Amino acid sequence: MAYGYFASMRTRPGRRAEVVAILLEGVDGLRAAGCSLYAVGASETDPDLILVSEIWESKGHHDRSLHLPETKAAIARAMPLLTGEFTNQEMTVLGGLGV
Amino acid sequence: MAYGYFASMRTRPGRRAEVVAILLEGVDGLRAAGCSLYAVGASETDPDLILVSEIWESKGHHDRSLHLPETKAAIARAMPLLTGEFTNQEMTVLGGLGV
């Protein structure tokens, strides 16, 4: 059953574009890691909020991706630009379009 | 720029499967309405929580879809099965995989 992950993260004031760029750098390797959707977006109403929606083959695929060297390097670079305010939600995908 | 929408809704105890079935009934018409992703999922940790992740051509496409007769009929049928606890987040998609 596919696994969905949705996260929000707050950047330090004015640093959103930098964090978005970091999040988009590693896109090439995602499909091979079992990811079918990785959408990085910006809130229209909150200038320092980033939203990320992901769909993976399984929770295990997502969890393992967090241990890839390129992922860990990207997280380390983004961390100083974030406030630490972070939310996430996980789901088992039951159906729909494009899943 | 693509538009992303993420929602959570709480069902009355034990009614989640019924609501999921209602949400999945109208999938066929979504692509023609400008939807590229519509993932309906269940929280693994909360037995009465449904999560929905969507990507549309634009916010206008999503907004207009809410006025389609079949959408309004589905909402009317689901409403009595929901508690009213509802959250949603909107984003402008900036990039990624599968978007």
Side-chain angles (χ1 to χ4, degrees):
Chain A
M1 200 91 83
Y3 167 78
Y5 181 84
F6 186 83
S8 73
M9 63 193 83
R10 181 171 301 285
T11 70
R12 297 190 186 281
R15 312 305 291 270
R16 185 165 73 180
E18 289 168 79
V19 176
V20 166
I22 292 170
L23 292 175
L24 291 176
E25 274 173 18
V27 166
D28 291 347
L30 287 176
R31 196 178 297 273
C35 182
S36 60
L37 175 84
Y38 176 71
V40 176
S43 165
E44 283 296 284
T45 52
D46 185 325
D48 298 313
L49 198 67
I50 293 174
L51 303 163
V52 182
S53 183
E54 307 177 22
I55 295 180
W56 293 80
E57 281 182 45
S58 72
K59 177 171 168 59
H61 284 83
H62 179 249
D63 291 352
R64 283 190 291 277
S65 77
L66 299 176
H67 298 288
L68 296 172
E70 54 269 37
T71 307
K72 289 164 81 169
I75 291 171
R77 284 168 52 219
M79 275 300 192
L81 305 175
L82 302 174
T83 65
E85 185 185 323
F86 185 87
T87 70
N88 72 315
Q89 284 189 286
E90 300 178 293
M91 67 174 174
T92 299
V93 178
L94 299 174
L97 169 72
V99 293
Chain B
M1 200 92 79
Y3 167 79
Y5 181 84
F6 186 84
S8 73
M9 62 193 84
R10 181 171 300 285
T11 69
R12 297 190 186 281
R15 312 305 290 269
R16 185 165 72 181
E18 290 168 77
V19 176
V20 166
I22 293 170
L23 293 175
L24 291 176
E25 274 172 19
V27 167
D28 291 347
L30 288 175
R31 195 179 297 273
C35 181
S36 60
L37 176 82
Y38 176 72
V40 176
S43 166
E44 283 296 284
T45 52
D46 185 326
D48 299 313
L49 198 67
I50 293 175
L51 303 163
V52 183
S53 183
E54 307 177 22
I55 295 179
W56 294 79
E57 280 180 46
S58 73
K59 176 171 169 60
H61 284 82
H62 178 247
D63 291 352
R64 282 190 292 278
S65 77
L66 299 176
H67 298 288
L68 295 172
E70 55 269 38
T71 308
K72 289 163 82 170
I75 291 171
R77 285 169 51 219
M79 275 299 191
L81 306 175
L82 301 174
T83 65
E85 185 185 324
F86 184 86
T87 70
N88 72 314
Q89 286 188 285
E90 302 179 291
M91 68 173 175
T92 299
V93 178
L94 300 174
L97 170 72
V99 292

